[in-house]
Amino acid sequence: MRTKKGVILLPDTGYIQVHAYAGNGYIPLQDVSIAVSASDGTVIALRLTDRSGRIDPISIPVPDRAESLTPNPTEIPFATVNLTARLRDYEQIFVDDVQIFPGVVTDQELALIPLSELPESRNKSETFLTSRQNL
């Protein structure tokens, strides 16, 4: 069994961990609401960041690792999740199609911008799309 920071990594499970910080200075943000959802919108987990701006890894069901050992264009050997990050007085962030692989902790960095730094013409939310791996 492999471990990462006290988490036992199971070969048939993937994990996601988030680090949220103020984009203007890489300052950790506490109490950021993090929602992890499946592609169909089903909520998998809701967490708040700790004082270091992190959440503990969340386990995500993933396809069997064996599916990634032989190329097959019709099968995707990873799971995808969507993230939403919210904190009062900060830009809201959406990250779509974060790829989760078996036995791996996916670290997602989230740089939240204080709304006081956004010009009036800018949106108060931002969406990031993750390109799929060409496996």
Side-chain angles (χ1 to χ4, degrees):
M1 293 271 150
R2 294 183 356 199
T3 63
K4 180 177 180 180
K5 297 182 182 178
V7 175
I8 296 173
L9 302 179
L10 302 173
D12 59 345
T13 303
Y15 304 86
I16 185 159
Q17 183 172 302
V18 172
H19 178 217
Y21 54 90
N24 59 348
Y26 209 75
I27 299 167
L29 292 173
Q30 185 172 357
D31 295 330
V32 176
S33 171
I34 305 293
V36 179
S37 59
S39 299
D40 66 2
T42 303
V43 175
I44 297 170
L46 298 169
R47 300 287 190 276
L48 291 175
T49 57
D50 61 18
R51 67 184 189 150
S52 68
R54 297 185 185 278
I55 62 169
D56 289 333
I58 297 169
S59 61
I60 306 292
V62 293
D64 189 292
R65 182 182 295 256
E67 291 182 26
S68 66
L69 300 178
T70 52
N72 184 342
T74 62
E75 293 182 15
I76 300 171
F78 52 84
T80 60
V81 296
N82 299 325
L83 296 176
T84 303
R86 293 184 174 102
L87 181 63
R88 185 174 186 206
D89 297 327
Y90 283 83
E91 174 187 45
Q92 183 172 254
I93 292 181
F94 303 99
V95 184
D96 294 337
D97 295 331
V98 178
Q99 298 160 21
I100 312 297
F101 293 87
V104 175
V105 177
T106 299
D107 292 313
Q108 182 66 53
E109 300 282 324
L110 300 174
L112 283 74
I113 299 172
L115 292 177
S116 61
E117 294 184 12
L118 294 173
E120 293 298 321
S121 62
R122 294 251 341 236
N123 237 341
K124 293 185 180 181
S125 66
E126 193 164 354
T127 301
F128 298 92
L129 300 174
T130 308
S131 300
R132 294 214 167 189
Q133 295 287 331
N134 186 14
L135 300 177

